[in-house]
Amino acid sequence: MSDRQLATAILCCIGDQRAKAGTSPSVREMKKLVKIASSSKIQAALFAMAREGLLEKPAYGQHLGWRLSDEG
């Protein structure tokens, strides 16, 4: 899976989960949904998308707070 495909899949996971439950999925849940074995690859993609402005990082101490930005 390319980096762009991974980013798109993660954005879809976050958007779908926030629409359904009002919270973001955990990294472990994202890992299952996009069928990636590595949590670190998901984390790296999340932080890269945050740097690009596609995601907003959760507040310190929260792990389910990833949100789509206006661009995302």
Side-chain angles (χ1 to χ4, degrees), residues 43-65:
Q43 285 283 11
L46 288 170
F47 284 103
M49 287 186 287
R51 282 191 303 273
E52 292 176 18
L54 298 173
L55 290 176
E56 295 175 8
K57 291 193 285 187
Y60 182 75
Q62 293 181 343
H63 61 282
L64 298 178

Side-chain angles (χ1 to χ4, degrees), residues 1-30:
M1 179 179 287
S2 73
D3 290 342
R4 181 56 63 192
Q5 290 172 325
L6 178 59
T8 301
I10 290 172
L11 289 172
C12 289
C13 287
I14 292 172
D16 291 347
Q17 180 72 19
R18 287 194 70 86
K20 290 178 189 173
T23 62
S24 297
S26 67
V27 171
R28 188 174 290 170
E29 290 169 331
M30 285 185 231

Side-chain angles (χ1 to χ4, degrees), residues 32-54:
K32 285 181 184 178
L33 291 169
V34 286
K35 298 177 176 101
I36 295 287
S38 172
S39 296
S40 62
K41 188 159 179 129
I42 298 289
Q43 285 283 11
L46 288 170
F47 284 103
M49 287 186 287
R51 282 191 303 273
E52 292 176 18
L54 298 173

